[in-house]
Amino acid sequence: MVELAASCDAKGLKAEAERTRAWIRPRDPNRLYITDLPEKIGPAKPPADATADAVAWHEHFGRLRREQSDALFALARGAVRSGRPSLAFELALAAIGEDPDNEAVRHLLGYQKFRDGWHTAYEVRKLRSGQVWSDRFGWVRKSDLARYEKGERPNNNRWITAEEDARLHRDIESGWDIETEHYTVRTNHGIEAGVALGVKLEQLYRVWKQLFVRYYATEEQVVALFDARGRGRNIELPRHQVVYFRDREDYNRSLASLGPTVGISAGAYVDQTRRAYFFADKDQDERTLLHEATHQLFHESRAVARNVGMEGNFWIVEGIAEYMESLLREDGFLVLGGLDDARANGARVRLLRDSFHVPLDELTRYSLKQLQSDPRIGTLYSEMAGLTHFLVHYDEGRYRDALVAYLTAVYNGDQDPNLLSRLTGAAYAELDKQYREFMEKNGK
Ligand SMILES: [Zn+2]
């Protein structure tokens, strides 16, 4: 790439030189980048009036990326054979970032070629049945889309106005059910708002599914995902239910049985009903959405114990939900982490300025009750977020597999306070020290 950029300079291909250099610019090691994959198959063509040199650059740039992509995927296969599933997934994601048309990685991620695009099996079923995806209305019959756009809505084999439709769905009991690939959103706020919420949830789902593959899949299943023969690629996961109220009053009223904290919450996941609840608000709290939806994913993607964190290890249940709040979409990536994230930065301030630190040896012993009744709860939540960032990112992800194994055991009901130390192979005093180093070294 460096040589290609230099040859662009020599030929006066300024824009091409810049694009080549931008491609290899180093990224923040304290963030995870997951490429937003295009639907269209094949690279963009050079413009019709491109010079011969520019066309040659285009070809060369694509070839280097395809080669890099194949090399990264070969490395990913090696990582999975060495029992490093998180590293294997990171390498596979880097491979698809280099070449979005890498077929082996596309198949691993659940995509297939259909018509002119890359689609999941779910999308193929939808498209085959004559539906199309609309960013405004979700999945609708292709022949209905024009009427939707004109403000008409289907109702019992006839068409009614959007206003009448809204009246019919005014109560949550008779709300709309918006279906996306992995979620059903029940809402009385509006079709478009429900679709927008579903799209955000699907983004979280995508990164969660890749980061925590060993949480919901066995080691054999992960190995099978990377198997060139493509067996065992379908790991069936359940559909999640979300309720989205038109306003806070509706939310408060419907969830009143959960107790007085409902009135100050901006969203909730309730494991008894297996539903996450949110409401429309002019300053929508995106972080609460990601936080509660993360609780839902860990609770529902496989069977979990009834006593998660009851006697100990509860901190990580909250820590990981706080970490997932950092999800952003930027420059063609879904991005997680970063020490400038509000939670991670809060943790830095508490640790480095206020010298607040509950050692891991103590924190891991906290039960759910103990943590939630602690007067320092806000400060503790800061530290828990910071520690989770540390476990994901420290030393290029050294503890990431251990973190996933920790979450798996905790959701299996393991209350042993020494669990994390055992899984990381490090004494708590050592982890506390590394955490401080991590916070001191990184970020502004
Ligand atoms: Zn929480």
Side-chain angles (χ1 to χ4, degrees), residues 291-292 295 317-318 321 381:
H291 183 113
E292 300 300 329
H295 285 322
V317 170
E318 288 304 321
Y381 263 66

Side-chain angles (χ1 to χ4, degrees), residues 161-342:
T161 64
E163 293 72 32
E164 197 182 339
D165 191 46
R167 224 169 11 250
L168 292 170
H169 295 92
R170 189 171 41 199
D171 297 322
I172 200 73
E173 291 75 20
S174 56
W176 293 276
D177 283 319
I178 311 290
E179 195 192 277
T180 62
E181 184 158 358
H182 305 97
Y183 290 89
T184 300
V185 179
R186 163 60 67 96
T187 183
N188 58 353
H189 186 46
I191 295 177
E192 294 180 45
V195 170
L197 188 81
V199 168
K200 279 185 203 145
L201 290 166
E202 289 290 343
Q203 285 173 8
L204 173 73
Y205 191 95
R206 240 192 94 204
V207 295
W208 184 88
K209 195 177 168 193
Q210 284 157 17
L211 192 51
F212 300 106
V213 62
R214 276 294 279 107
Y215 179 79
Y216 58 84
T218 63
E219 187 163 348
E220 294 70 43
Q221 284 175 314
V222 175
V223 173
L225 279 175
F226 281 83
D227 181 345
R229 287 158 296 184
R231 282 179 308 193
R233 276 200 171 125
N234 285 323
I235 301 168
E236 284 299 322
L237 293 172
R239 168 168 287 278
H240 305 287
Q241 309 291 328
V242 169
V243 182
Y244 188 36
F245 297 97
R246 66 161 79 235
D247 55 30
R248 175 175 273 289
E249 286 72 56
D250 225 9
Y251 170 86
N252 286 356
R253 196 168 40 238
S254 298
L255 298 184
S257 64
L258 296 177
T261 53
V262 166
I264 52 165
S265 68
Y269 172 64
V270 180
D271 55 359
Q272 293 90 337
T273 61
R274 294 175 75 83
R275 275 168 173 72
Y277 301 89
F278 305 103
F279 58 88
D281 193 28
K282 61 180 183 320
D283 19 66
Q284 187 89 54
D285 187 353
E286 196 102 345
R287 298 188 71 108
T288 300
L289 174 75
L290 296 165
H291 183 113
E292 300 300 329
T294 299
H295 285 322
Q296 181 172 39
L297 288 170
F298 279 105
H299 255 280
E300 297 179 3
S301 296
R302 63 175 177 80
V304 298
R306 287 171 162 276
N307 61 340
V308 176
M310 288 299 188
E311 309 294 325
N313 288 322
F314 182 71
W315 77 275
I316 194 59
V317 170
E318 288 304 321
I320 199 64
E322 295 184 278
Y323 176 77
M324 297 304 282
E325 290 176 23
S326 64
L327 181 64
L328 286 176
R329 198 173 191 189
E330 92 193 357
D331 302 335
F333 293 98
L334 292 168
V335 184
L336 274 176
L339 285 174
D340 52 355
D341 173 69

Side-chain angles (χ1 to χ4, degrees), residues 308-418:
V308 176
M310 288 299 188
E311 309 294 325
N313 288 322
F314 182 71
W315 77 275
I316 194 59
V317 170
E318 288 304 321
I320 199 64
E322 295 184 278
Y323 176 77
M324 297 304 282
E325 290 176 23
S326 64
L327 181 64
L328 286 176
R329 198 173 191 189
E330 92 193 357
D331 302 335
F333 293 98
L334 292 168
V335 184
L336 274 176
L339 285 174
D340 52 355
D341 173 69
R343 292 272 200 194
N345 200 42
R348 284 169 49 75
V349 171
R350 295 296 171 231
L351 180 71
L352 303 178
R353 191 194 69 187
D354 303 348
S355 300
F356 179 89
H357 183 67
V358 175
L360 269 168
D361 188 37
E362 193 183 325
L363 188 63
T364 49
R365 289 171 201 280
Y366 283 19
S367 66
L368 179 152
K369 271 220 171 76
Q370 206 177 339
L371 198 80
Q372 290 185 339
S373 59
D374 196 301
R376 304 165 301 169
I377 184 166
T379 331
L380 283 169
Y381 263 66
S382 254
E383 178 178 338
M384 284 145 50
L387 282 167
T388 310
H389 276 257
F390 160 77
L391 290 173
V392 177
H393 296 286
Y394 180 69
D395 193 19
E396 301 184 3
R398 188 208 292 198
Y399 296 134
R400 204 174 300 155
D401 283 323
L403 168 67
V404 179
Y406 184 46
L407 281 158
T408 305
V410 169
Y411 273 94
N412 283 341
D414 197 327
Q415 319 281 332
D416 176 6
N418 292 314

